[in-house]
Amino acid sequence: MAERARVGVARRTLLAAAVGALALPAAGCGIRLEDDAPRVPFVPTRTPVPAEAELVQLTRDTAALAEAAAAVNGSLAADLATIHRRQHSVLRTTLVRQQVPAADLDATASAPPTASAPPSASSTPGPSGGASATPSTETPAGGRAGLAAAEAASAAAAGTYAGVGTDLRATVAALHAQRYAAATLLTGRPPAVPRDPVAGPDVAALASLTDGAIFLMEVVAARSEGKQRARADATLEALHDLRTDQLAGGARADEALGHPLPFPVEDAADAERLAREVLTTLRAGYGEHLEPLVTAEGALGLAALTRWLGTVEVQAHRWGVPLDPFPGLA
């Protein structure tokens, strides 16, 4: 009887050991699910999201931009710090929900890159007089100049994110347009973003929206005087350059014979109000075409949208419209 009892205990011990041997790897892998970890039976693996490495780096760099902006004096830099914190929150929350490890997203980011001066031989004029080239990565200087360089480098690298999933294409496009606007407002000139012509129905639709905005901004100019007239003329020049850029790939805009005024414009105050409404409406209209244009044109579409929506964001801000973390998507 005593011998049988010992046999029974041994069996229970063996069973517990076998269960423990199966449970131990599962527990370990539950803590550490690297993409290159060996496949263990019965343990779920995680499929990386499209362009995960790039998105993780973008999230880290956005946090670094928020810190850099917070260290610069002035209301514009303060606004940019708030904007970058919001961008970081959206990116991080979205990626964590898609099971990207929070530890990867929260790792300390290196200082955001700056854009070096592009070689003149390979530069092409941008829609507002800028040059196009892929930026090199350097350690940025501090202060306003360093922040501007980092914003410009981020805008120039927009095409890097062409491989993101469908659900993030509009978000990534809008984010880089905001970076373009930030760099322009910080320096007074547009950053160097690659410029290649694109076409297709979404480009034609964007050009048509721009054409309508030009018509209404001409009313603004006609009802304005002095500094306001000069600002209206500058906005008209930017929109004309924008439309030229949009039509460079062969797209054809539908040119309406006229566009109704949303309200009577009888004096300078009405004209200023109209300018804000025109540019806010144009920004929102562009938002509907972000995802399909990136889907159709990839990196070229992302670069084009960075320039186009970024230009609209700049002009809207110059008429008193607050900057948006994701212009066109609000």
Side-chain angles (χ1 to χ4, degrees), residues 44-131:
T45 59
R46 185 180 70 82
T47 301
V49 302
E52 180 171 315
E54 290 83 356
L55 288 168
V56 167
Q57 189 60 50
L58 180 63
T59 304
R60 295 177 184 176
D61 288 347
T62 302
L65 273 176
E67 292 183 9
V72 176
N73 293 328
S75 59
L76 176 58
D79 288 345
L80 292 175
T82 300
I83 282 171
H84 292 320
R85 291 188 194 104
R86 176 58 180 162
Q87 290 171 338
H88 176 264
S89 176
V90 169
L91 287 172
R92 187 184 183 282
T93 300
T94 300
L95 293 174
V96 166
R97 285 175 178 169
Q98 295 178 349
Q99 300 184 0
V100 176
D104 292 349
L105 298 167
D106 296 339
T108 302
S110 58
T114 65
S116 62
S120 58
S122 61
S123 299
T124 56
S128 301

Side-chain angles (χ1 to χ4, degrees), residues 96-203:
V96 166
R97 285 175 178 169
Q98 295 178 349
Q99 300 184 0
V100 176
D104 292 349
L105 298 167
D106 296 339
T108 302
S110 58
T114 65
S116 62
S120 58
S122 61
S123 299
T124 56
S128 301
S132 298
T134 301
S136 65
T137 300
E138 302 171 351
T139 301
R144 187 182 180 99
L147 176 61
E151 301 277 9
S154 183
T160 305
Y161 302 93
V164 301
T166 304
D167 60 325
L168 278 172
R169 287 172 189 165
T171 300
V172 166
L175 178 146
H176 284 93
Q178 184 281 319
R179 304 280 166 88
Y180 181 99
T184 303
L185 293 169
L186 285 165
T187 63
R189 61 184 181 276
V193 174
R195 184 183 184 188
D196 295 279
V198 291
D202 287 288
V203 178

Side-chain angles (χ1 to χ4, degrees), residues 18-33 40-41 43:
V19 171
L22 288 174
L24 187 58
C29 288
I31 296 171
R32 180 175 161 275
L33 279 177
V40 179
V43 177

